[in-house]
C-alpha cells in the first residue's frame, strides 16, 4: 500500500477560495431534505415544543462536538476519509472507505428524492395532481408496485428528471471543489434562503396559520420522559448536520492551514438548526391553514411526516390556497435547492477519496463514480419499485450505516494516533472558540455509547420484526445488503495500493518533490 516513484506526480489538492466559501458549503450540506421534510414531522410527533429540549441538548452535546471532531481530523490530515483515517491509524483506511461508501449509498437514492422535487416544481404550475394528490403521487407519478413485488419497469416521470439531476451534479463535481462545489453553493444557498423566507412569510399570513404553529410549538412535557423521543432527537441532529460519516471531514480537509474551525462549526450548526425550526414554522403554518379550511383540528390532519408531508399534504394545501401555484413552486424549488447542495457534499466525499487515492483529476473521478452511481440510481429508484427500495435502503443505511460509521470513527480517534488530546490541541491552535477538556470524554466515550445504544435498539427491532411489512428477501437484499455493499466495497478499496498521496493544498513545488522522494524511499511509510 505504498506509493512508488513511478506513480503519477503528486498534485496539490484543491482548496476553498476562503473561509466563506467553506462555511456556505458546510451549511449547504447540512441544510438538506432532512430539514424540510423530516424535521417538522419528527418534532411534531415527538412532543412538539418540548422536542426542542432534547433537540438542543443533542445539538450542543452531540452535534457540535462531532462536528469539531470531523473538522479536526479533516483539517489536520488534509485528506478525505480514507487518507485522513489511515493517518490516524494504519487500519483506519477501511473505516474511511466505509464512510465513503455509506455516502455513495445515500447519494444514489437521495438523488431520486431530488428528482421528485424537480418534477413536483413543474406539477405545481397547474396543480397537476388534481383532486386526489395521494393516488396521484403513488399511482400516477411513482406508479409504485405493491410492496411484495419487484419491478424493473421505468417510472418515466421519475427517471427523466433523475437522469437530469445526475448530469447536473456530475458536471458540478467534475469542475472540482472551488470551481464546482463552492461556486454552486454560493449561488444555491443564498437563493434557497430568499425563496424559503418568502414561503414562510406567505405561510404565516394564511388563515389558520396560528393554529398550526400552536400545534407545532405546544409542548407535551411528558414526552421528555420517553427515551424514544431522545433517540429521535439524536438521530435528527446526526442526519441533519451530516456529522460522523465523512462529509464534514472531507470539506474541512480543503481548508487553508490557518482557518477558524470551531467558530465556523458553531455558526454552521446553529444556522442549520435555525433553518430547521424555520421549516417547522413554514410547514406548520401551512398545515394550520389546511386544518382551518377543512374545519378540523391540526391533530386530526393526516400525513404529517416523511415523503407524504411534502408530496401529498403539500399538494393538497397548494390546491386549496389562493396563489397556490407560486407557493408550490417556491416550496418544491426550495426542496430541490436544499437537496442539491447536500447531494454535492455526498458526491465530494467519494470524488475526493478517489482523487486522493489515485491522483485522478476531478473530472475523471466524476466519471468513474458517476457512471455506476447513475446506473444504480436509475435502476433501483427510477423504476416502479423505487419508493419501496428507497424506503428500505434509507432506513438501514441511516440507522446502521451512518451510526456505525460515526461510532467507529469516534472510537478510533479516541484510542489511536494523535488521540483526542492531540486533535483538541489542533483545534485550539487555529480556532477562536477554545474546545474544553470535557470534549474528550464526550466524544471518546459518551457519544459512542449513546450511539451504540441507539443502533442496538434499531438492530434488535429490525431483526425481530423486520422492516414494515416488506418481505424478508427485500429487507435482506436492500436493507442489510446496502450496508454489506458498503463494507465489501470498502474492503476492496482498502486493499488496492495507493497511487498517489494527497498533499497540502499550498505545498510548493519543492515540497511536492521532497515528499515524492521521501515516499519512494520509505516503503510502506505513507504516514
Ligand atoms: N444533512 C442533509 C439533510 O438533512 O438532508 C444531508 C444528508 C444527511 C443526507 C444524511 C442524507 C443523510 F443520510
Amino acid at each position: 500500500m505504498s506509493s512508488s516513484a513511478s506513480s503519477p506526480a503528486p498534485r496539490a489538492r484543491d482548496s476553498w477560495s476562503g473561509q466563506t466559501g467553506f462555511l456556505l458549503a458546510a451549511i449547504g450540506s447540512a441544510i438538506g431534505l432532512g430539514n424540510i421534510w423530516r424535521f417538522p414531522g419528527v418534532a411534531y410527533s415527538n412532543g412538539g415544543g418540548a422536542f426542542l429540549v432534547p433537540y438542543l441538548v443533542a445539538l450542543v452535546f452531540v452535534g457540535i462536538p462531532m462536528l469539531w471532531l470531523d473538522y479536526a481530523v479533516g483539517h489536520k490530515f488534509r485528506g478525505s476519509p480514507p487518507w485522513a483515517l489511515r493517518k490516524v491509524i494504519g487500519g483506519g483506511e477501511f473505516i474511511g472507505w466505509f464512510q465513503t461508501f455509506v455516502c455513495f449509498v445515500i447519494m444514489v437514492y437521495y438523488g431520486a428524492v431530488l428528482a421528485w422535487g424537480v418534477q413536483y416544481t413543474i406539477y405545481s404550475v397547474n396543480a397537476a395532481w388534481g383532486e386526489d394528490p395521494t393516488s396521484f403521487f403513488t399511482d400516477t407519478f411513482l406508479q409504485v408496485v405493491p410492496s411484495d413485488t419487484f419491478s424493473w419497469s421505468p417510472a418515466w416521470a421519475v427517471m427523466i428528471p433523475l437522469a437530469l439531476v445526475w448530469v447536473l451534479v456530475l458536471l458540478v463535481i467534475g469542475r472540482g471543489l472551488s470551481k464546482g462545489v463552492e461556486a454552486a453553493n454560493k449561488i444555491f444557498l443564498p437563493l434557497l434562503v430568499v425563496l424559503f423566507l418568502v414561503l414562510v412569510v406567505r405561510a404565516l399570513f394564511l388563515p389558520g396559520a396560528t393554529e398550526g404553529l400552536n400545534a407545532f410549538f405546544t409542548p407535551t412535557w411528558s414526552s421528555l420522559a420517553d427515551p424514544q423521543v431522545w433517540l429521535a432527537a439524536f438521530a435528527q441532529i446526526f442526519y441533519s448536520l451530516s456529522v460522523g460519516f465523512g462529509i464534514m471531514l472531507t470539506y474541512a480537509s480543503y481548508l487553508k492551514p490557518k482557518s477558524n474551525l470551531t467558530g465556523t462549526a458553531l455558526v454552521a450548526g446553529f444556522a442549520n438548526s435555525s433553518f430547521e425550526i424555520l421549516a417547522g414554522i413554514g410547514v406548520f403554518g401551512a398545515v394550520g391553514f389546511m386544518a382551518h379550511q377543512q374545519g378540523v383540528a391540526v391533530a386530526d390532519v393526516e400525513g404529517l411526516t416523511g415523503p407524504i408531508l411534502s408530496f401529498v399534504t403539500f399538494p393538497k394545501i397548494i390546491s386549496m390556497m389562493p396563489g397556490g401555484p407560486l407557493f408550490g413552486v417556491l416550496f418544491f424549488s426550495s426542496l430541490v435547492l436544499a437537496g442539491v447542495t447536500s447531494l454535492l457534499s455526498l458526491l465530494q466525499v467519494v470524488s475526493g477519496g478517489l482523487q486522493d487515492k489515485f491522483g485522478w483529476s476531478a473530472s475523471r473521478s466524476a466519471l468513474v463514480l458517476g457512471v455506476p452511481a447513475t446506473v444504480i440510481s436509475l435502476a433501483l429508484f427510477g423504476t416502479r419499485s423505487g419508493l419501496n427500495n428507497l424506503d428500505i435502503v434509507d432506513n438501514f443505511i441511516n440507522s446502521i450505516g451512518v451510526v456505525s460509521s460515526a461510532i467507529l470513527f469516534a472510537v478510533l480517534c479516541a484510542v489511536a494516533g494523535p488521540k483526542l488530546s492531540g486533535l483538541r490541541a489542533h483545534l485550539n491552535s487555529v480556532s477562536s472558540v477554545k474546545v474544553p477538556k470535557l470534549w474528550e470524554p464526550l466524544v471518546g466515550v459518551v457519544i459512542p455509547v449513546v450511539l451504540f445504544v441507539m443502533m442496538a435498539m434499531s438492530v434488535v427491532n429490525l431483526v425481530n420484526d423486520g422492516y414494515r411489512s416488506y418481505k424478508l428477501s427485500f429487507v435482506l437484499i436492500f436493507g442489510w445488503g446496502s450496508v454489506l455493499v458498503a463494507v465489501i466495497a470498502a474492503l476492496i478499496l482498502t486493499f488496492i495500493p495507493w497511487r498517489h498521496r494527497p498533499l497540502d493544498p499550498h505545498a510548493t513545488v519543492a515540497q511536492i518533490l521532497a515528499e515524492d522522494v521521501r515516499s519512494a524511499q520509505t516503503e510502506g511509510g505513507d504516514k
Side-chain angles (χ1 to χ4, degrees):
M1 282 189 222
S2 64
S3 69
S4 74
S6 61
S7 63
R11 197 186 19 249
R13 300 173 86 234
D14 206 343
S15 67
W16 303 107
S17 66
Q19 187 104 3
T20 319
F22 165 71
L23 180 63
L24 286 181
I27 297 177
S29 166
I31 298 182
L33 300 172
N35 298 56
I36 303 177
W37 90 350
R38 205 168 180 278
F39 175 80
V42 169
Y44 175 69
S45 48
N46 285 287
F51 183 73
L52 291 179
V53 175
Y55 176 79
L56 288 176
V57 169
L59 172 65
V60 173
F61 292 101
V62 180
I64 302 282
M66 283 300 288
L67 205 49
W68 282 346
L69 181 65
D70 270 334
Y71 281 15
V73 175
H75 189 252
K76 185 170 166 74
F77 298 117
R78 312 195 155 279
S80 37
W83 174 261
L85 292 186
R86 88 193 296 246
K87 296 257 245 171
V88 170
I89 187 174
E93 180 179 349
F94 167 74
I95 295 170
W97 283 116
F98 179 60
Q99 295 192 326
T100 310
F101 283 101
V102 165
C103 289
F104 184 92
V105 172
I106 294 177
M107 77 196 193
V108 290
Y109 73 80
Y110 203 82
V113 186
L114 271 187
W116 301 354
V118 170
Q119 195 61 34
Y120 265 70
T121 309
I122 302 168
Y123 287 158
S124 295
V125 175
N126 61 347
W129 42 77
E131 296 298 304
D132 186 359
T134 312
S135 73
F136 181 86
F137 179 58
T138 50
D139 304 337
T140 314
F141 172 59
L142 298 175
Q143 300 181 351
V144 66
V145 291
S147 65
D148 60 350
T149 25
F150 183 81
S151 166
W152 291 111
S153 146
W156 291 110
V158 180
M159 189 78 95
I160 295 168
L162 182 53
L164 282 175
V165 165
W166 278 108
V167 172
L168 173 83
V169 290
L170 289 171
L171 283 175
V172 175
I173 286 291
R175 284 172 63 85
L177 183 90
S178 47
K179 289 209 204 89
V181 177
E182 181 173 344
N185 272 287
K186 281 185 170 160
I187 302 169
F188 292 157
L189 191 65
L191 191 61
L192 166 68
V193 173
V194 172
L195 295 187
F196 207 72
L197 278 174
V198 174
L199 177 123
V200 172
V201 171
R202 173 71 189 113
L204 287 179
F205 282 99
L206 288 167
T210 341
E211 280 104 272
L213 295 190
N214 281 340
F216 182 62
F217 283 114
T218 304
T220 318
W221 293 115
S222 57
S223 65
L224 293 186
D226 181 354
Q228 290 293 344
V229 168
W230 287 83
L231 290 182
F234 287 118
Q236 177 62 26
I237 280 294
F238 249 80
Y239 188 95
S240 175
L241 266 187
S242 322
V243 280
F245 58 106
I247 299 184
M248 291 299 172
L249 187 160
T250 303
Y251 270 8
S253 75
Y254 298 107
L255 272 169
K256 297 181 176 164
K258 259 265 119 312
S259 296
N260 178 0
L261 298 178
T262 55
T264 316
L266 284 172
V267 176
F270 281 95
N272 176 60
S273 290
S274 310
F275 192 94
E276 209 144 62
I277 293 170
L278 190 70
I281 294 175
V283 165
F284 273 83
V287 167
F289 162 74
M290 179 169 152
H292 177 85
Q293 294 298 97
Q294 295 178 331
V296 297
V298 174
D300 296 327
V301 174
E302 282 175 5
L304 295 183
T305 53
I308 301 300
L309 174 63
S310 303
F311 294 97
V312 174
T313 308
F314 255 79
K316 286 185 188 162
I317 295 171
I318 292 162
S319 293
M320 277 177 199
M321 67 189 276
L326 180 62
F327 191 79
V329 170
L330 282 176
F331 178 75
F332 288 109
S333 52
S334 298
L335 204 62
V336 172
L337 288 171
V340 165
T341 49
S342 299
L343 183 57
L344 287 173
S345 69
L346 291 162
L347 274 133
Q348 184 61 38
V349 177
V350 186
S351 169
L354 296 175
Q355 290 177 49
D356 285 353
K357 182 140 189 172
F358 299 107
W360 292 339
S361 63
S363 50
R364 185 163 174 193
S365 302
L367 199 68
V368 172
L369 90 91
V371 172
T374 309
V375 170
I376 297 172
S377 186
L378 292 175
L380 291 183
F381 307 108
T383 44
R384 296 184 57 188
S385 298
L387 180 67
N388 302 335
N389 298 344
L390 193 146
D391 185 23
I392 306 176
V393 176
D394 175 59
N395 182 278
F396 276 76
I397 206 70
N398 279 297
S399 55
I400 300 176
V402 166
V403 182
S404 62
S405 116
I407 298 172
L408 292 169
F409 172 53
V411 170
L412 192 81
C413 294
V415 298
K419 297 247 165 50
L420 291 169
S421 51
L423 292 168
R424 189 167 73 92
H426 178 77
L427 285 170
N428 287 344
S429 69
V430 290
S431 303
S432 56
V433 180
K434 300 295 172 217
V435 179
K437 183 123 186 56
L438 181 71
W439 178 74
E440 294 176 29
L442 197 60
V443 165
V445 183
V446 180
I447 295 178
V449 169
V450 170
L451 292 180
F452 187 79
V453 171
M454 205 162 111
M455 189 174 76
M457 287 172 67
S458 318
V459 170
V460 168
N461 283 339
L462 288 169
V463 169
N464 288 343
D465 308 334
Y467 180 55
R468 298 198 210 265
S469 58
Y470 294 106
K471 285 202 296 203
L472 180 64
S473 57
F474 286 1
V475 171
L476 287 177
I477 296 172
F478 298 109
W480 296 103
S482 59
V483 181
L484 193 66
V485 163
V487 172
I488 294 173
L491 277 174
I492 296 174
L493 264 294
T494 306
F495 283 105
I496 297 178
W498 282 77
R499 304 257 170 78
H500 177 73
R501 30 177 71 241
L503 283 171
D504 189 302
H506 302 290
T508 60
V509 175
Q511 282 169 326
I512 293 173
L513 290 176
E515 174 79 355
D516 210 23
V517 170
R518 194 190 66 83
S519 67
Q521 286 166 348
T522 40
E523 180 69 12
D526 316 71
K527 287 184 94 185

